[in-house]
Amino acid sequence: MFETDRLQVRPLTQDDCPALTEILSDPAVMQYSVRGVCDEAATRKFIDWCLECYASSGLGPWGLLDKFSGDLIGFCGIGPEEVAGIEEINLGYRLAQRYWHQGYATEAAEAVLAYAFSQQLAASVVVIIEPEHIASLRVCEKVGFRHYTPLVFHNRPVRVYRMLIADWRDQQGSSPG
């Protein structure tokens, strides 16, 4: 679909299930997930949902492959999520622990937003983050989300940040280079 300096981004397939199960079965990776830790069956169900999203809207969580090793390192994408009774387009990601704190989440999120907004796949994107999830809050701010609304999501207090396509375009105009 597209790539960054270090990542190839493509739709997930059921062939990704073993590698993705390894990532999504890690309690640290899934600490802030409403789904919780995923076994193989739950990962297959998640991939099925991704495939349905791709077919119905062209959106969904996409696989992230390390360009150098070819390994699946996680996913990042946008997909439908009901928030406070309204269907939103939500940015989400999960990375294998060994790829944390190296800028991969920011790189992937920036690329997904650029793809989504430049292809006009969404007019608005939200991100839902628990206030205690400091690493995700940093990623969110680095990619340009600025303002949030406090809500309760799946019985958890969260911050819901929103970026409009106009906000993204303004950021692109003010970026150096």
Side-chain angles (χ1 to χ4, degrees):
M1 293 179 57
F2 56 94
E3 58 183 52
T4 69
D5 289 343
R6 301 180 291 171
L7 299 168
Q8 290 180 326
V9 182
R10 63 154 174 80
L12 290 165
T13 71
Q14 286 296 345
D15 291 342
D16 295 316
C17 192
L20 192 57
T21 299
E22 185 178 330
I23 296 166
L24 300 184
S25 66
D26 181 338
V29 170
M30 301 304 283
Q31 179 179 355
Y32 295 101
S33 170
V34 296
R35 283 187 176 87
V37 172
C38 293
D39 60 10
E40 183 179 340
T43 302
R44 285 199 184 284
K45 187 175 176 182
F46 172 72
I47 293 172
D48 283 341
W49 176 79
C50 293
L51 296 172
E52 290 170 19
C53 288
Y54 304 154
S56 66
S57 64
L59 306 176
W62 297 302
L64 301 174
L65 282 74
D66 180 309
K67 282 172 74 170
F68 305 103
S69 69
D71 293 340
L72 181 76
I73 69 164
F75 69 80
C76 183
I78 57 171
E81 186 76 59
E82 188 172 312
V83 181
I86 299 168
E87 185 172 284
E88 300 279 6
I89 300 299
N90 178 49
L91 171 69
Y93 57 86
R94 295 281 181 268
L95 296 175
Q97 269 197 75
R98 68 184 175 277
Y99 291 93
W100 290 5
H101 309 295
Q102 299 173 53
Y104 283 99
T106 300
E107 186 174 328
E110 285 175 337
V112 165
L113 287 169
Y115 181 78
F117 286 137
S118 67
Q119 300 295 313
Q120 298 184 1
L121 298 174
S124 170
V125 173
V126 300
V127 63
I128 305 162
I129 305 173
E130 292 182 44
E132 300 80 25
H133 196 347
I134 302 302
S136 276
L137 291 174
R138 286 190 186 124
V139 169
C140 174
E141 292 167 2
K142 285 180 188 175
V143 301
F145 287 89
R146 298 288 176 252
H147 306 286
Y148 67 88
T149 303
L151 287 175
V152 174
F153 181 73
H154 292 270
N155 299 315
R156 298 174 181 205
V158 297
R159 295 177 178 180
V160 178
Y161 291 80
R162 178 180 306 281
M163 183 184 296
L164 303 174
I165 193 168
D167 300 330
W168 178 79
R169 286 184 180 137
D170 288 347
Q171 289 177 25
Q172 301 316 298
S174 64
S175 296

